[in-house]
Every structure is written in C-alpha cells, then in structure tokens.
Amino acid sequence: MKLFVFLLCASFVWSLPNKKPTNLKTLPGPRIIGGSEARTGQFVFAAAIYTTTLGGNYFCGGTLLSDQWVLTAGQCVDGAELFDIHLGTNLLNGDDPYAVRVSADEYILHPEYDPLSLDNDIGLIWLRLPVEFSDYLRPVDYLPFAELPTSSSGMAIGWGQISDDDPGLVNDLRWVYVTSLSNVECKTVYGNQITDSMVCVDGNYNEGTCIGDTGSPLVQIISRGHTVVAGIASFVSMNGCESTDPSGFTRVFAYNDWIRNITGRP
C-alpha cells in the first residue's frame, strides 16, 4: 500500500506587490503534469490564493462560487491569518487589465477536517467586499447535481509545478483532462486512507495535479457549456507527481448542503 501526501501548496517569501513570489520552497503535493495553457477567459472562476499563516506563506488554488465566496481545500485555510487572492486572470505575474486582487482574513474550515487523514479537506474564504463580474471573472456555474460517477471525464486546473525536477509555480494557468476512478481502484494504491468523501483521478500516463495545485478545482462541462465544480485537489502519492499513481480530490457533492448553508449558493 502506498501512502499519500497532502499538497500543502508551495511556501514562499513575500516579494513586491503584484510580483510573483521568489525563493520558493515547495512541500509535497499535486501537480498539473502535462496538459495545456488555459486560454484567456477559459476558466473565469479560477482563483490564485496566497495564504499567510504563523508557520509560513503558501500558495493554493480555488474556485469562485459567488461574488463573496471562494471554495478551496481545508489545508489551504487551516490556521490562515491573511489571504491575497487574484481573480480574473490566468497570470500570476504580469500586466493583465482584467485582473482583480482582493484581500481577505475570514474563512470557514469544515468542522470535521482531519489534517492527518485529509478527510473533509474543504474550506471557504469570505470576501468582505463583493467582486464585480466581467467577461473574465464569474463564479462557477453549478455545484454538482449528483455524485461523480466512475470513469467520468473532467478537467483539473492549476498553477502548480509541471515536473518533479522543476520546482516552483508556473506563471500561466494550466489544465489537463483526467478521468475519475472508483474508490475500490483508488484503495489498491492508497489503502483504507481513502474515504467516501474523496475521489481519485488519472490522466494519460502520468498527467494530473502537483505541488502548488492544492485547492484547485476538478471541473466538468455539462449541458449548454455550463461548468460544475466536482472536486478540490487534495493529495498525491509520495512517489512523486510524475508517478502513474492517481491524484486525490475532495468530492464536492458530499458537501453541497454545507456549502449552500454557508454561502446561500443555490
């Protein structure tokens, strides 16, 4: 049985405003290995989250749910003191007239989050001031209507590193096609660490998430081009991002009621 490691993002030293963090120190976690750079406006709900805690500074991804709520992993908000969130852009660094940058210091961590097992790895960040929507900044269309079936196709997105030998974040948002596995299949790799609130996904050969992709969404395009957020990047194998072991996500469907009760999202 293989163990998994949680993705707690990439820690960094703060740099000048609007600049990409330098002197990155990475922690074990998921990747966008393979895949493609996102087009402008392709993922208008993508959030880049710089988190400050007493123990360090970290990077995570997230999903804009409404004009005041961002969905991410529980490990991305646990113990946070401040969030610097970039919205409306695919770039971490560089001039983009559509980019929106907001600060936040309030969050809700799932009450049953377990930092050791990563069960219930889900959290919400509240934006004190509502953001204004545009063609490049809009919330994800829907929470999932039903549980994610086995062998479902989806897209994992993020700014995480793109190989085990190339530490650090990428500047341009990337995405990759992945397919969901049954939890029975996932347990053949990770054992009974896998719970019903988790889902594993696999890409072609070794494509998937990596360090820096924690909290980023697994999305599906449904009827009429609407987008559903089906998962939240949570863990990968200790064998590394480029291994053929599947990537792990939190299943969003299991938390629909919790999310709606907090955010008022329909």
Side-chain angles (χ1 to χ4, degrees):
M1 181 188 77
K2 298 182 176 67
L3 298 177
F4 62 67
V5 292
F6 63 98
L7 308 177
L8 241 188
C9 350
S11 72
F12 57 84
V13 177
W14 285 110
S15 59
L16 295 175
N18 298 316
K19 297 293 184 180
K20 184 178 176 182
T22 57
N23 301 326
L24 288 171
K25 178 183 177 184
T26 55
L27 300 178
R31 77 238 172 243
I32 294 296
I33 301 294
S36 307
E37 287 187 2
R39 303 186 311 273
T40 300
Q42 184 175 3
F43 301 105
V44 293
F45 46 81
I49 306 169
Y50 298 93
T51 303
T52 299
T53 71
L54 287 176
N57 303 298
Y58 305 97
F59 180 87
C60 282
T63 307
L64 187 67
L65 290 184
S66 72
D67 60 358
Q68 286 189 278
W69 289 100
V70 174
L71 177 71
T72 188
Q75 57 189 289
C76 295
V77 302
D78 190 16
E81 295 193 327
L82 183 67
F83 304 100
D84 180 20
I85 303 172
H86 297 200
L87 302 164
T89 181
N90 290 344
L91 302 178
L92 293 185
N93 184 31
D95 295 330
D96 186 337
Y98 308 110
V100 174
R101 181 173 172 177
V102 296
S103 294
D105 59 7
E106 296 190 41
Y107 65 87
I108 296 178
L109 176 64
H110 193 279
E112 297 179 27
Y113 167 66
D114 187 332
L116 297 180
S117 70
L118 292 183
D119 204 12
N120 305 302
D121 187 16
I122 185 170
L124 291 160
I125 301 171
W126 184 67
L127 309 180
R128 189 177 301 275
L129 297 176
V131 295
E132 293 186 11
F133 299 150
S134 70
D135 290 339
Y136 304 95
L137 173 57
R138 293 194 305 276
V140 72
D141 293 320
Y142 301 120
L143 297 176
F145 297 116
E147 186 55 270
L148 184 69
T150 300
S151 300
S152 294
S153 177
M155 292 180 286
I157 72 173
W159 286 274
Q161 68 184 63
I162 56 176
S163 81
D164 288 328
D165 298 323
D166 185 17
L169 306 173
V170 295
N171 193 53
D172 296 87
L173 181 66
R174 298 183 66 88
W175 66 276
V176 65
Y177 283 118
V178 292
T179 301
S180 62
L181 307 177
S182 70
N183 276 16
V184 172
E185 291 176 276
C186 193
K187 286 181 179 181
T188 64
V189 178
Y190 296 113
N192 290 330
Q193 298 173 98
I194 301 303
T195 69
D196 291 342
S197 66
M198 303 172 181
V199 61
C200 288
V201 302
D202 240 342
N204 291 328
Y205 182 55
N206 66 342
E207 292 181 331
T209 52
C210 195
I211 298 169
D213 290 323
T214 317
S216 298
L218 170 67
V219 298
Q220 293 183 295
I221 308 300
I222 57 173
S223 61
R224 300 181 181 178
H226 291 298
T227 304
V228 170
V229 54
I232 303 167
S234 180
F235 62 87
V236 291
S237 171
M238 291 184 69
N239 290 325
C241 294
E242 293 186 86
S243 76
T244 57
D245 295 338
S247 307
F249 285 74
T250 299
R251 293 180 184 266
V252 172
F253 177 74
Y255 303 94
N256 275 1
D257 290 343
W258 182 75
I259 293 170
R260 289 186 176 113
N261 288 339
I262 293 170
T263 67
R265 177 73 196 250

